[in-house]
């Protein structure tokens, strides 16, 4: 699912760097409620205590694309019904 890393090594991206990307709008969460996956620079990234890992498997990325679209529609429906 993610890059194979040896225990103890740093993640592909730090929390500080991802927080900055989320803050300036260059990254976005998978949905309003699912925040363990982020789209940044054309790739999906997965949260971990050590930082963020880039999703490198195409089949997993494709599944996240589909989930993001489904959740976008679900988020929109919730906003319509609670607004």
């Amino acid at each position: 699912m993610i890059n194979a890393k040896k225990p103890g090594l740093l993640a592909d991206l730090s929390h500080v760097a991802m927080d900055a990307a989320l803050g300036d709008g260059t990254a976005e969460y998978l949905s309003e409620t699912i925040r363990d996956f982020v789209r940044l620079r054309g790739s999906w990234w997965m949260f971990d205590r050590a930082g963020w890992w880039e999703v490198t498997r195409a089949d997993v990325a494709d599944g996240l694309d589909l989930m993001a679209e489904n959740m976008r529609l679900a988020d929109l429906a919730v906003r319509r019904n609670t607004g």
Side-chain angles (χ1 to χ4, degrees), residues 14-30:
S14 72
H15 289 295
V16 171
M18 185 60 81
D19 289 345
L22 288 162
D24 70 17
T26 59
E28 62 182 32
Y29 291 111
L30 187 143

Side-chain angles (χ1 to χ4, degrees), residues 1-3 12-13 40-46 52-57:
M1 175 188 266
I2 56 174
N3 292 333
D12 293 331
L13 194 67
L40 172 67
R41 298 189 303 247
S43 295
W44 284 105
W45 297 76
M46 185 174 77
W52 291 86
W53 301 96
E54 186 174 13
V55 174
T56 57
R57 284 188 38 190

Side-chain angles (χ1 to χ4, degrees), residues 8 21 32 34 42 50 60-62 67 70 73 81:
E32 293 177 17
I34 300 174
V60 175
D62 290 345
M67 184 186 294
N70 290 336
L73 296 172
N81 291 322

Side-chain angles (χ1 to χ4, degrees), residues 30-34 66-82:
L30 187 143
S31 77
E32 293 177 17
T33 57
I34 300 174
L66 180 60
M67 184 186 294
E69 179 58 20
N70 290 336
M71 290 305 298
R72 185 188 67 76
L73 296 172
D75 290 342
L76 181 60
V78 168
R79 281 194 304 277
R80 284 183 184 158
N81 291 322
T82 59

